[in-house]
Amino acid sequence: MMRIITILFFSFLLFINCYSQQYIFTNYSINNGLSQSVVNCVFQDSKGYIWAGTQNGLNRFNGETFDVYNYNRNDSGSISNNWIYSIAEDAAGNLWIGTKGGLNKYNAKQNNFKRIVYQTDFAFDVSQYCYDVICLENGDIFINTPPLISIYNLEKESFTHFENKLEYDGAVKDVKIPALEDTDGKIWIGSTTGLTLFSLQTNKFSYFPFVLKTEVNVENVNVTAIFKDKKANLWVGTTIGLFIFNSDLNRFEESRFLIGQNEQVPFKNICIRAITEDKNGNLIVGTEGNGLFVISPESPGTVAIQNYTTENSDLGHNIVQSLIIDSSENLWIGTLQGISKTDLKKKKFNLYRKSNSPNSLDLLGNVIASLYKNDDGILWVGNWGQGLNLVNRKTGEVEHFSTRHSGNHYIPNDFVHVIFKDSEGEIWLGTRNGILIYDKPGNRFVDWKTFFKNSLLPNFNNVRIYMIIQDRDLNYWIGTQNGLYKINLKKSAVEVFQKELDANYQLSANLVYCLIEDSEGLIWIATVSGLDVYNPATKKIRHFKKEEKGLSDDFIISLCEDKKGNIWIGTATYLNVYHKKDSSFTYYAQEHGLPNNRIFEIVKDKNNEMWIATGKGLCKFDEQQNLCHTFTLEDGLQSLEFNLRAAFVCDDGEILMGGMNGFNSFYPDSISGNPYIPNLVFTSFYTQKGAVKEYINLEESPEVVLHHNIYSFTIEFAALEFTNPQKNSYAYQMAGISDEWINIGNRKFVPFFGLQPGEYTFKVKGSNNDGVWNDREISVKIVILPPWWRSIYAYFAYFILFVLAVFSYIKMRERKLKHDKKILEQKVLERTKQIEEQNQLIISKNQELNELNHTKDKLFSIIGHDLGNQFNIILGFLEVLVYDFKKLDAGKVEYHLNNINKSAKHAYE
C-alpha cells in the first residue's frame, strides 16, 4: 500500500512539460543470454565492455551477446563464487570482483581469474564476503567487509586491515554494501549500521549522525548507496530514504526538494539502492520497489521529478540494484529482472503520445490523422476516429473536441483527416462527413456552409475529405473520395473533376489522396489510379500512368515539389521523382536505402531537404550522395509506421509528423548525430571442424597460427558503442587476399574458408549507429602453416638433400671418371704397347721390305742383266734366222734354234 501511495504521490508532484527528457528502455534478460535475472552491479571497463554481476555468474556484454563466467570446481582459474557484489578496474586493466566467495582478480590476457585469499586475524572472518571493491588512486585495492576494511598493496602483495567502531552485523547480505573514495585520501564506507569516513593518511575513522527533517537523529542507519555529484554534494542512500551531507554541521540530513512552491521530502521511507548523475546535472536515483527517479534542476532552487516504473514505462523491474552511465551517455540499470538501458543523449525527435509514462500527453488517441501548428504555438492534432486535440506544450494542457463532447467542444465527426489554414486565417477541418470551420470567437466548429453563409457550396455529407489547398489565385482545391473540387468562394463558383467526366475535367480516379500547386501554378493530383496534372491557364489536364508514362505504380499517395521544380511522388510501391526538364522518372526503393517502399508522406524542410515518411520509418534524403539516412524507434520515433497527411512544416522550420502511436516534432537543423566514436574489440576467433569449434584467445597474442588442415575459421568483433548497437556498421580488409575494404553492414563476424598457406592480416573498423567511424582499425595477423612437405624446414631439408644429391653425384662421377680414366689409361697403355709392337712389326716389316726391295732391285738388276744377255742372244739368233733363213741349211737352222732354246731356259732358270 505504501508503494502505491508513493507512486500516486509522485504522479501528483510531477511538474514536467512535454519537452522533458523521455526515457525509452531496452531490456536484457536471461532470454538474451544473461546468466541470471538479479543484477547486483553493472560496470564498464576501459575497453568499453559492459559487465554485469548477478546472483549466478559474471557477465560481459558486447552489444549483442553475453559471455558468462561461472565457478567451476575443476578449474582453479575460474571465479571463486557465482554471487557477484561489485566490480572495479585497476590502472593495468585488470578487473577486481567481489563475491560471496571472496576477492578475485580477472586477467583478460589469460582470460582467467586469480583468487585472492587472505586472513584478517580478527575475531570474525569476513574475508569471504567482499561487499565492495575500490581501486584506489594510489594503486591499492580497497575491500569493504564491515566493520573491517582491508587494503591490498599490489606491489608488495600484502594486506593491511582496519576495524571501525560500528556494530558488527553477522548476517550475510545479498546486496552490495557501498564505499566511495573521496578527495585527499579519504574513503566513505557504508555498513548496515552506519557510515564512516576513513583517512589513508591517519588510518583513523570518523563517524557522522543521520538527521531527519524533524531534527531527530537516526541510529544504525543501513547505508545502501553513496554518490558525490559534480557540485561536490555527497548523497547517501539508505533503507529509510535519501540523505545529503551538510559539511557545515558535519552531519547527513534527510534530503528535501522544492517542487513548485512546496518543499517536499519525496524519498521518505524509500530504500535507495543506487545514485548517479548525468552530464546535465540530473540526479538519477534507483530504489527498491519504487522504480527509477530523475531529479532535474529547473529554476534556481526548484526541481522537477520524474518517476519511471514498470507500470508507466518499459523499465525492467521496480527494484533497481545498480546504476552506471557509460562512456557514450547510456544509462544502465541493474534490476531484479535483468538490465534496462536508456539513452541519455538529447533525442533527435520530441515524442508526444498518450501513455502511462511521466511524459504522457492527454490526447484523445494515438493514431494521428492530421497536424498543424497555429501562430500562437498551439498544436492542432487530428485523431483517426477519436476527435481533435489542441495541445499547449508550455503547460501540458490539452483541449478536446469530439462527438463525445458537448457544447462548444462537440464536432459531428471524429475522423479529422485535414487541418488547413487559409489566406484569411480561417482554420478548416476535413472529416469523413464534410468540412468544418473554426469559429474563433465562439471557440467552436461550424459547418462550412453555415460559416460562409453559402448554401451553394457542395454537400460533403458522408464524404471523406483527404486534402485542402489554396492556389495563388485564392481558389480552394478540395480532394475527396468522390473527386476534386475547385471552389471560388467570392464568386460562389464550383468546378468538379471526376473520372466520369469528359475531356479536361476527367480524373484518373475519384479518390484523390493528395494535392499540390507547383512553382509554375500547375495543380498536381494524386489518385489511386494514376497521377494527373491540371493547368489552370490552359484548362487542360494531363495523365500519367504506369504503363504509359513510366510511373512505378498508379496508386499515388503523396506529392511534393523540390527546389529544382521536380515532383516527388510517393506510391504504394516506390518513391518516384518526375524531372520536368526531360519528362523522365527516377525511382527509389529499399535497395537505395529507403526504410520501406510504401511512401505515406513527403515534405520539404526550410533547407530544401526532403523528408520521407514510410510504412517502416522516417528518412532524410541526401540528393548529392543519392542516399537515405533512416531514423527508427531508437531515435525517438512514435512508431515505424506513419500516416498519410499527418505531416506539417511550420513557418519556423519545425516539422510535425504523426503515425500509429503518437506524433513527433523536430527541427531539422537541431538533429545531431551520436558523436561518440566506438571502441573496437575482437570478441571471438574460432576454427571449426564439423560441429566442433575451437576458440583462440586473441588477448594472449596478436598473431594466430593455424595448421594447413584447418579449412575454416571465423573472426567476431564488436564496436562497443551501445546507443543502438544493431545499427553499428563494420568494414574489413584481409591483406594477403585483397587491399579493398569491404562494407558488411551491421554483421559482426567474417568467416573464411579454404585459404592457402601464407601470411594474412585481418583488419576491421566500425561505426556507431549514426555512421561515425573509428578509422583506427584493429588487426590480427593470421599465419596458415603449409603442410610439412611444404614447410620451410621441408624446403631446407629438400635443399640439403639436393646438395647431398649433387655432392654424391659429383663424387660418384668423380669416382667413375677416375675409374674410367684408369681403364682408359690401361687401354691406352695396352694400345700404346700394341702400337709399339705394331711399330716394331712395321719396322721389322719395313726392314724386310727394304731387304726385299734390295733383293728385288738386285734381282731385277741381275734379271735385267742376265735376261738381257739371254734375250740379246735369242734376239741375235732370231735375227740371223730371219735374215738368213733361206740361205741357211737345216743344220744351221737347227743350230740357231737350239741356241735360242738354251738361252730361254737359262733366262727362265
Side-chain angles (χ1 to χ4, degrees):
M1 186 65 181
M2 175 62 72
R3 177 173 169 273
I4 296 174
I5 292 172
T6 303
I7 293 173
L8 291 175
F9 173 70
F10 273 104
S11 299
F12 177 75
L13 283 181
L14 293 181
F15 185 74
I16 308 163
N17 62 42
C18 296
Y19 290 110
S20 300
Q21 176 74 15
Q22 302 176 36
Y23 289 175
I24 299 172
F25 296 100
T26 301
N27 296 308
Y28 302 95
S29 67
I30 57 174
N31 296 328
N32 305 106
L34 192 66
S35 64
Q36 199 261 346
S37 294
V38 182
V39 179
N40 291 328
C41 58
V42 186
F43 180 80
Q44 185 177 34
D45 68 19
S46 56
K47 292 180 180 178
Y49 284 110
I50 298 296
W51 294 79
T54 73
Q55 292 182 356
N56 189 32
L58 178 66
N59 301 258
R60 185 179 71 179
F61 186 54
N62 60 33
E64 183 175 2
T65 59
F66 288 91
D67 297 319
V68 178
Y69 300 87
N70 285 116
Y71 166 70
N72 182 350
R73 67 176 184 175
N74 297 319
D75 182 5
S76 61
S78 67
I79 197 165
S80 63
N81 193 279
N82 288 333
W83 197 294
I84 313 300
Y85 287 122
S86 60
I87 308 168
E89 184 179 23
D90 64 24
N94 300 306
L95 294 186
W96 296 80
I97 298 102
T99 76
K100 265 190 180 180
L103 180 65
N104 294 258
K105 175 184 176 182
Y106 173 69
N107 188 318
K109 289 186 177 181
Q110 299 175 4
N111 195 32
N112 61 17
F113 295 84
K114 179 181 179 181
R115 302 169 188 177
I116 310 299
V117 180
Y118 64 95
Q119 298 295 325
T120 62
D121 295 329
F122 284 89
F124 35 83
D125 183 16
V126 294
S127 64
Q128 289 300 305
Y129 307 105
C130 185
Y131 291 113
D132 200 4
V133 180
I134 303 174
C135 294
L136 300 177
E137 290 292 331
N138 63 10
D140 292 343
I141 308 300
F142 175 92
I143 306 114
N144 190 24
T145 55
L148 298 177
I149 62 169
S150 300
I151 298 176
Y152 179 54
N153 186 293
L154 290 177
E155 292 183 0
K156 298 179 181 179
E157 295 188 351
S158 62
F159 280 90
T160 308
H161 309 285
F162 303 92
E163 181 181 9
N164 61 46
K165 296 179 181 179
L166 295 178
E167 181 180 351
Y168 170 58
D169 180 2
V172 177
K173 305 299 180 294
D174 290 341
V175 293
K176 172 181 178 178
I177 301 177
L180 174 71
E181 184 179 16
D182 206 336
T183 56
D184 301 327
K186 295 178 180 178
I187 304 170
W188 294 93
I189 305 161
S191 76
T192 58
T193 56
L195 182 73
T196 62
L197 179 65
F198 180 75
S199 171
L200 293 172
Q201 284 80 18
T202 64
N203 293 338
K204 292 183 178 180
F205 293 92
S206 301
Y207 304 87
F208 305 89
F210 283 76
V211 182
L212 300 178
K213 180 184 178 182
T214 59
E215 291 296 324
V216 175
N217 283 16
V218 184
E219 301 294 333
N220 295 325
V221 174
N222 186 351
V223 175
T224 51
I226 309 172
F227 180 76
K228 192 172 186 178
D229 67 20
K230 296 181 179 68
K231 296 180 180 178
N233 296 312
L234 184 66
W235 301 86
V236 174
T238 74
T239 54
I240 59 171
L242 181 65
F243 289 78
I244 187 169
F245 184 59
N246 186 328
S247 57
D248 294 331
L249 299 177
N250 217 29
R251 68 181 190 177
F252 287 90
E253 298 175 347
E254 193 172 24
S255 60
R256 290 164 281 182
F257 298 95
L258 186 62
I259 303 172
Q261 300 298 320
N262 302 315
E263 186 180 73
Q264 303 289 344
V265 184
F267 296 101
K268 191 173 185 65
N269 294 321
I270 293 178
C271 179
I272 310 298
R273 283 293 174 192
I275 309 168
T276 190
E277 181 186 25
D278 68 18
K279 73 172 189 178
N280 297 317
N282 299 310
L283 199 66
I284 304 171
V285 180
T287 70
E288 187 174 280
N290 291 280
L292 187 73
F293 291 88
V294 181
I295 306 170
S296 304
E298 290 199 325
S299 58
T302 66
V303 299
I305 299 180
Q306 295 169 278
N307 180 212
Y308 293 90
T309 65
T310 56
E311 291 79 13
N312 66 20
S313 71
D314 294 325
L315 183 67
H317 199 278
N318 286 336
I319 295 179
V320 175
Q321 303 275 66
S322 57
L323 297 169
I324 68 158
I325 298 175
D326 70 17
S327 58
S328 54
E329 292 187 77
N330 297 299
L331 174 66
W332 297 81
I333 308 157
T335 78
L336 202 68
Q337 196 62 42
I339 302 173
S340 296
K341 183 201 74 176
T342 187
D343 183 10
L344 299 181
K345 294 183 287 296
K346 182 182 177 182
K347 293 292 185 291
K348 299 178 176 70
F349 303 95
N350 296 314
L351 172 62
Y352 305 89
R353 66 159 65 113
K354 185 180 181 67
S355 67
N356 293 325
S357 78
N359 302 288
S360 175
L361 192 65
D362 187 24
L363 298 175
L364 290 169
N366 284 332
V367 182
I368 308 301
S370 55
L371 291 162
Y372 170 73
K373 184 167 80 169
N374 205 357
D375 298 336
D376 56 5
I378 300 298
L379 300 185
W380 293 53
V381 183
N383 280 133
W384 195 289
Q386 291 178 296
L388 174 69
N389 309 267
L390 271 60
V391 178
N392 187 326
R393 290 187 286 184
K394 292 181 179 179
T395 64
E397 296 177 354
V398 182
E399 188 176 3
H400 299 142
F401 297 83
S402 75
T403 58
R404 300 180 298 280
H405 290 75
S406 58
N408 291 353
H409 289 83
Y410 170 80
I411 55 175
N413 192 275
D414 287 331
F415 289 87
V416 182
H417 293 295
V418 178
I419 305 172
F420 167 72
K421 188 173 185 178
D422 66 16
S423 60
E424 301 295 325
E426 307 296 351
I427 298 179
W428 301 42
L429 296 188
T431 72
R432 289 193 179 185
N433 191 31
I435 297 174
L436 302 172
I437 309 296
Y438 179 59
D439 176 14
K440 188 174 182 180
N443 191 32
R444 62 182 185 136
F445 289 91
V446 182
D447 181 79
W448 74 321
K449 288 185 177 183
T450 302
F451 186 86
F452 291 116
K453 299 177 183 180
N454 189 338
S455 61
L456 299 178
L457 294 175
N459 185 1
F460 289 129
N461 290 339
N462 297 317
V463 174
R464 176 173 171 177
I465 309 300
Y466 279 94
M467 195 159 189
I468 305 172
I469 66 170
Q470 193 173 19
D471 67 20
R472 62 190 61 190
D473 296 323
L474 304 182
N475 298 303
Y476 294 91
W477 296 79
I478 303 172
T480 76
Q481 70 184 61
N482 193 32
L484 174 65
Y485 295 78
K486 176 185 176 183
I487 298 173
N488 187 311
L489 285 177
K490 291 183 179 180
K491 297 179 181 180
S492 295
V494 177
E495 295 180 58
V496 181
F497 300 79
Q498 290 180 329
K499 182 178 180 180
E500 296 78 14
L501 300 179
D502 296 330
N504 290 315
Y505 288 94
Q506 186 181 61
L507 298 180
S508 296
N510 285 340
L511 201 163
V512 177
Y513 269 134
C514 189
L515 298 164
I516 64 166
E517 181 188 26
D518 71 12
S519 55
E520 299 174 1
L522 303 177
I523 304 298
W524 294 79
I525 307 155
T527 80
V528 295
S529 296
L531 176 65
D532 301 331
V533 56
Y534 179 74
N535 189 330
T538 63
K539 296 187 180 298
K540 291 184 178 181
I541 195 165
R542 182 184 178 188
H543 306 284
F544 293 88
K545 293 285 188 178
K546 177 180 179 180
E547 296 179 357
E548 299 171 5
K549 298 295 181 180
L551 283 169
S552 68
D553 196 322
D554 287 334
F555 196 104
I556 313 299
I557 301 173
S558 53
L559 298 167
C560 187
E561 183 183 22
D562 68 18
K563 62 182 179 181
K564 298 176 182 177
N566 301 318
I567 305 300
W568 292 56
I569 306 156
T571 75
T573 56
Y574 291 120
L575 173 65
N576 297 236
V577 179
Y578 176 68
H579 304 277
K580 291 182 182 178
K581 288 184 178 180
D582 57 4
S583 297
S584 64
F585 285 89
T586 302
Y587 312 105
Y588 298 100
Q590 283 181 270
E591 54 262 35
H592 302 101
L594 286 175
N596 188 254
N597 287 337
R598 193 174 186 88
I599 312 301
F600 284 117
E601 195 58 81
I602 309 168
V603 298
K604 180 176 66 175
D605 66 22
K606 295 299 182 182
N607 298 319
N608 294 311
E609 294 180 317
M610 310 302 286
W611 293 80
I612 300 143
T614 75
K616 205 171 182 180
L618 175 68
C619 74
K620 176 184 176 182
F621 191 85
D622 187 334
E623 285 191 84
Q624 291 184 344
Q625 298 186 14
N626 217 30
L627 294 173
C628 288
H629 182 82
T630 299
F631 302 93
T632 61
L633 292 174
E634 290 77 12
D635 297 305
L637 295 186
Q638 48 80 30
S639 74
L640 290 179
E641 187 174 4
F642 289 82
N643 273 335
L644 70 162
R645 306 296 77 78
F648 184 74
V649 180
C650 309
D651 291 339
D652 63 355
E654 185 177 19
I655 295 178
L656 308 176
M657 281 197 168
M660 302 304 292
N661 194 23
F663 67 96
N664 296 109
S665 75
F666 61 98
Y667 288 89
D669 290 339
S670 298
I671 291 181
S672 59
N674 179 0
Y676 294 101
I677 298 173
N679 189 39
L680 289 165
V681 294
F682 288 114
T683 58
S684 179
F685 188 112
Y686 62 85
T687 61
Q688 189 165 2
K689 286 186 178 180
V692 179
K693 294 181 180 179
E694 182 178 346
Y695 288 86
I696 298 171
N697 182 13
L698 295 182
E699 294 283 353
E700 288 186 323
S701 172
E703 180 177 304
V704 175
V705 179
L706 303 175
H707 293 288
H708 74 280
N709 57 353
I710 300 297
Y711 179 73
S712 69
F713 61 89
T714 299
I715 307 171
E716 296 180 349
F717 38 83
L720 299 181
E721 205 291 316
F722 301 98
T723 300
N724 187 2
Q726 287 74 28
K727 289 181 69 177
N728 293 352
S729 297
Y730 302 90
Y732 80 90
Q733 177 195 88
M734 188 61 145
I737 297 179
S738 170
D739 292 333
E740 180 183 357
W741 283 93
I742 301 171
N743 290 310
I744 55 175
N746 64 350
R747 180 158 56 89
K748 298 181 178 180
F749 66 92
V750 179
F752 292 95
F753 303 92
L755 291 188
Q756 293 299 312
E759 292 187 359
Y760 304 88
T761 300
F762 179 84
K763 300 177 182 180
V764 63
K765 55 186 178 181
S767 78
N768 66 17
N769 60 303
D770 280 331
V772 177
W773 287 82
N774 186 345
D775 292 324
R776 296 177 60 186
E777 70 269 6
I778 56 174
S779 63
V780 58
K781 184 178 180 181
I782 302 163
V783 178
I784 300 178
L785 298 176
W788 65 265
W789 60 88
R790 291 178 57 188
S791 68
I792 187 171
Y793 300 106
Y795 285 119
F796 181 73
Y798 298 153
F799 176 74
I800 296 299
L801 290 174
F802 175 75
V803 171
L804 291 174
V806 171
F807 180 77
S808 298
Y809 174 78
I810 292 172
K811 287 297 183 182
M812 291 175 63
R813 182 66 177 165
E814 187 178 280
R815 285 195 297 269
K816 186 175 185 304
L817 289 174
K818 288 181 178 180
H819 180 264
D820 290 346
K821 182 181 178 182
K822 186 175 182 181
I823 293 174
L824 182 59
E825 288 175 347
Q826 184 69 30
K827 287 184 177 180
V828 168
L829 184 63
E830 293 176 355
R831 185 62 176 165
T832 302
K833 186 176 180 181
Q834 289 178 355
I835 291 172
E836 289 178 352
E837 290 177 352
Q838 289 176 354
N839 287 336
Q840 292 297 324
L841 179 62
I842 290 171
I843 293 171
S844 173
K845 294 297 182 181
N846 284 335
Q847 289 177 351
E848 291 179 2
L849 183 60
N850 290 331
E851 290 178 358
L852 288 174
N853 287 333
H854 179 69
T855 302
K856 179 194 72 171
D857 293 337
K858 184 178 179 181
L859 175 62
F860 283 160
S861 175
I862 295 171
I863 290 173
H865 181 271
D866 291 342
L867 286 178
N869 291 332
Q870 296 301 321
F871 283 133
N872 286 327
I873 293 172
I874 292 171
L875 287 174
F877 284 123
L878 285 174
E879 286 178 0
V880 172
L881 284 176
V882 171
Y883 289 109
D884 295 326
F885 183 73
K886 290 180 177 184
K887 296 175 177 181
L888 296 176
D889 57 16
K892 286 289 186 183
V893 171
E894 183 180 356
Y895 171 76
H896 285 301
L897 288 173
N898 285 328
N899 287 329
I900 291 170
N901 183 44
K902 287 179 182 180
S903 296
K905 284 182 180 181
H906 181 74
Y908 176 76
E909 292 175 356

